[in-house]
Amino acid sequence: MKLLKASGKVRKGGMLAITICMALLLLSGCIESPVIDDWQHGLNSGNNSTTPTPAFTGTKVDDWQYDESSVVNENYRTKGSVGAAGPQGLTAPVPAPMPTVVSAAECATAYSSAASGNLGFSTGGAKDINNFRENIENNYLPLPTDVTYEGLFYDYYFDTGQQEQCNSLFCPSYSYAITKDPFSGEVEYYLAVGLNSGMKESDFERKKLNLVVVLDISGSMDSRFDRYYYDRFGNQIELKGSEEDWQKTKMEIAAESVVALIDHLNDDDRFGMVLFNNSAYVAKPLNPVGETDMEAIKDHVLELRASGGTYMSAGMEMGTDLFDDLLDADQSEYENRIIFLTDAMPNIGETSEGGLLGITEDNADDNLYSTFIGIGVDFNTELVEFITKIKGANYYSVHSADEFETRMDEEFDYMVTPLVFDLELQLEADGWEIEKVFGSPEANEATGELMKVNTLFPSKTEGGETRGGLVLLKLKRLSSHNELILKVSYEDRNGNDAIVESEIELEGEEAEFFANTGIRKGVLLSRYASLLIDWIIDEREHDDWVRPWKPMVNDEIGIPMPPPIEPMLGKWERQSMPLAVSEEYEALFEEFTEYFKAEM
């Protein structure tokens, strides 16, 4: 262990095992981790309509039009047109009918209320904290935005506290807890919102999908995952090591991930592809899968090579243009989505969040939703955190093509099918207010009375527990009143509005009281994440201090809510720092570990 006496830091030494232990506890089964069985493709994919789409009997066409040697040709930079004759004359077919997903009102009669086999919901936004874990494992100090509560929650299954049968699309349930902060001993009050649905897994059908993949082929994608990182000044630093240690390049992983996505498309889906580096190129027009030689398309994708700069907004804009003739498609039959794969290190064109953010927000207003997939440990979650607060958006991180393929086998239909929008929870209680929200990308938008969640996606339920099926509210008690009235309003994916009102009473239990294991797990995970975020912020803010400093976590205050995270980077470039643990946080992690073990 190397102690830096001037700053009181421990760097890349044996004592970092404490931090690594804390960061990886959740990977080692200390808390009940999601148990993934061998269920694959267990959902109807939209092909079970009463009038099935006729099988295409003509010659399937390879409509790939990207030629790396000809990218200077303006033909490869022009907007693609849906339905117009492409290089081989493909046209968009007349949409075939398929069953629509029922509204909240129709759910009462359409779905049985059997407790087993029902789906639940998880929020939009992050679907993991893999970038945090990968940075820890590679001895880098993560960014605060690498740890999100909703991303952490999605790694686990929760008892949602559901007491009554659910006969609607969305049935929120409520559980409460009274517990003391593990450092300060201050009593805290929590309310969990369980995200339940009356929709059965066997009845879920995703709509037909119009999908455009926008793929980063810039030079940074040619790097290997563990070969380099960017230091705090933006300089590229090569790591030492032997050749057998190096993994595939980001470009190879991204290409293999796109092939894994393609395998989940049906003949009546449409698929298109845009590539970007210094400019953007329509590699494949948005055409029917059933009329396309998809095996040839896969081969083209796997042959892609990386070079040039990173003009992200150009890629998103061109991907959006491919939907020009499809934005008016029947929303009960078709889902429009862009899947954007990048290592998120822009250096050409619009490098603020404004360009991408504006395009993505405008798209959501037109029911064109976005999934962002970050490739590699350098993936900048600070940028994407802004984007995925937008309606219908979510993001994942990828470090292994095999891992991603397995995940898509389990989640693809869920990932591309948001079911609930504009969820608002209104708290009507004289004696209480919402102090903090955990488990939603819109957490910072909560007020004293209002909680907002832009999007809910379907999520798997096992043994009565739902993956990521919880939003946690930390409540501030203002009086002795125990009654809460909660009014929830939302819109389903077909545009139908619903309102659910509930009255609950907090029955005056003493700490430590937890209504069920779901809220207990949620409280533990939220405290864990808050401690990690506080640590990252403190270490980054005091990295160059030579005089002593005190962490924001202490025995008097406890684990404070992390402050609003301001962008720490001059531009959207991931600037890494060596993994560091001050002596103060070393002691805090040791103390928290004991609490963590006791709770798990």
Side-chain angles (χ1 to χ4, degrees), residues 165-236:
Q165 294 178 337
C166 177
N167 296 315
S168 299
L169 176 63
F170 176 49
C171 305
S173 56
Y174 307 101
S175 310
Y176 75 98
I178 306 173
T179 175
K180 295 180 180 179
D181 181 284
F183 293 113
S184 69
E186 180 182 354
V187 174
E188 298 176 337
Y189 301 87
Y190 292 89
L191 182 71
V193 182
L195 308 178
N196 310 301
S197 177
M199 180 180 289
K200 293 177 66 176
E201 184 179 293
S202 58
D203 290 331
F204 171 77
E205 292 178 321
R206 76 160 168 86
K207 298 184 241 184
K208 298 173 188 175
L209 184 62
N210 299 319
L211 175 66
V212 169
V213 167
V214 178
L215 177 62
D216 184 346
I217 58 168
S218 64
S220 62
M221 293 286 286
D222 198 40
S223 64
R224 300 182 188 274
F225 277 78
D226 296 324
R227 187 141 197 172
Y228 79 95
Y229 68 97
Y230 281 87
D231 69 13
R232 55 187 297 209
F233 304 107
N235 301 312
Q236 182 173 308

Side-chain angles (χ1 to χ4, degrees), residues 251-289:
M251 188 72 251
E252 290 172 314
I253 297 296
E256 292 173 9
S257 297
V258 172
V259 169
L261 290 170
I262 289 174
D263 284 338
H264 290 273
L265 298 177
N266 304 312
D267 284 351
D268 52 5
D269 295 326
R270 294 189 184 96
F271 176 73
M273 195 163 177
V274 167
L275 309 175
F276 70 91
N277 49 22
N278 296 310
S279 186
Y281 320 97
V282 176
K284 183 196 178 305
L286 183 54
N287 282 316
V289 170

Side-chain angles (χ1 to χ4, degrees), residues 91-385:
T91 57
V94 177
M98 69 170 276
T100 61
V101 171
V102 298
S103 69
E106 295 168 321
C107 261
T109 56
Y111 297 116
S112 80
S113 56
S116 61
N118 280 23
L119 292 173
F121 287 112
S122 62
T123 65
K127 293 299 183 182
D128 55 54
I129 59 167
N130 287 345
N131 278 287
F132 167 79
R133 290 169 174 149
E134 290 292 328
N135 273 273
I136 292 291
E137 288 184 342
N138 286 282
N139 288 317
Y140 306 148
L141 184 66
L143 290 172
T145 48
D146 288 350
V147 183
T148 66
Y149 299 96
E150 68 273 13
L152 181 59
F153 282 11
Y154 195 68
D155 271 342
Y156 298 92
Y157 283 78
F158 293 88
D159 176 357
T160 61
Q162 183 178 0
Q163 300 295 324
E164 299 178 357
Q165 294 178 337
C166 177
N167 296 315
S168 299
L169 176 63
F170 176 49
C171 305
S173 56
Y174 307 101
S175 310
Y176 75 98
I178 306 173
T179 175
K180 295 180 180 179
D181 181 284
F183 293 113
S184 69
E186 180 182 354
V187 174
E188 298 176 337
Y189 301 87
Y190 292 89
L191 182 71
V193 182
L195 308 178
N196 310 301
S197 177
M199 180 180 289
K200 293 177 66 176
E201 184 179 293
S202 58
D203 290 331
F204 171 77
E205 292 178 321
R206 76 160 168 86
K207 298 184 241 184
K208 298 173 188 175
L209 184 62
N210 299 319
L211 175 66
V212 169
V213 167
V214 178
L215 177 62
D216 184 346
I217 58 168
S218 64
S220 62
M221 293 286 286
D222 198 40
S223 64
R224 300 182 188 274
F225 277 78
D226 296 324
R227 187 141 197 172
Y228 79 95
Y229 68 97
Y230 281 87
D231 69 13
R232 55 187 297 209
F233 304 107
N235 301 312
Q236 182 173 308
I237 306 297
E238 295 287 334
L239 298 181
K240 308 293 184 182
S242 59
E243 282 302 318
E244 57 265 28
D245 293 332
W246 309 139
Q247 302 176 6
K248 295 178 180 178
T249 66
K250 296 175 185 176
M251 188 72 251
E252 290 172 314
I253 297 296
E256 292 173 9
S257 297
V258 172
V259 169
L261 290 170
I262 289 174
D263 284 338
H264 290 273
L265 298 177
N266 304 312
D267 284 351
D268 52 5
D269 295 326
R270 294 189 184 96
F271 176 73
M273 195 163 177
V274 167
L275 309 175
F276 70 91
N277 49 22
N278 296 310
S279 186
Y281 320 97
V282 176
K284 183 196 178 305
L286 183 54
N287 282 316
V289 170
E291 298 182 20
T292 304
D293 185 348
M294 296 305 292
E295 292 304 315
I297 299 302
K298 291 180 186 178
D299 290 340
H300 292 308
V301 172
L302 293 173
E303 291 170 356
L304 289 170
R305 298 293 178 262
S307 65
T310 313
Y311 198 171
M312 297 177 72
S313 57
M316 179 62 87
E317 183 176 2
M318 185 162 284
T320 300
D321 290 338
L322 293 185
F323 288 90
D324 280 349
D325 295 339
L326 290 175
L327 294 180
D328 293 330
D330 185 348
Q331 295 299 315
S332 67
E333 286 195 61
Y334 284 91
E335 192 80 45
N336 292 334
R337 183 163 291 269
I338 291 175
I339 296 182
F340 196 98
L341 294 94
T342 180
D343 60 356
M345 297 192 295
N347 52 37
I348 286 182
E350 179 58 67
T351 56
S352 74
E353 74 275 13
L356 273 179
L357 195 65
I359 298 171
T360 310
E361 283 184 320
D362 289 344
N363 286 349
D365 290 339
D366 291 328
N367 299 310
L368 169 55
Y369 305 120
S370 301
T371 295
F372 289 84
I373 298 177
I375 307 295
V377 71
D378 302 289
F379 171 52
N380 189 353
T381 54
E382 194 171 39
L383 168 63
V384 176
E385 195 232 1

Side-chain angles (χ1 to χ4, degrees), residues 56 59 61-63 83-92 284 287-288 291-292:
F56 179 69
T59 302
V61 178
D62 176 4
D63 60 346
Q88 286 79 27
L90 283 178
T91 57
K284 183 196 178 305
N287 282 316
E291 298 182 20
T292 304

Side-chain angles (χ1 to χ4, degrees), residues 55-72:
F56 179 69
T57 57
T59 302
K60 294 188 176 183
V61 178
D62 176 4
D63 60 346
W64 187 264
Q65 63 182 50
Y66 174 77
D67 181 356
E68 186 177 8
S69 64
S70 306
V71 294
V72 295

Side-chain angles (χ1 to χ4, degrees), residues 381-401:
T381 54
E382 194 171 39
L383 168 63
V384 176
E385 195 232 1
F386 283 95
I387 297 170
T388 53
K389 292 180 180 179
I390 296 170
K391 178 180 177 180
N394 50 22
Y395 79 80
Y396 298 76
S397 56
V398 173
H399 301 89
S400 159

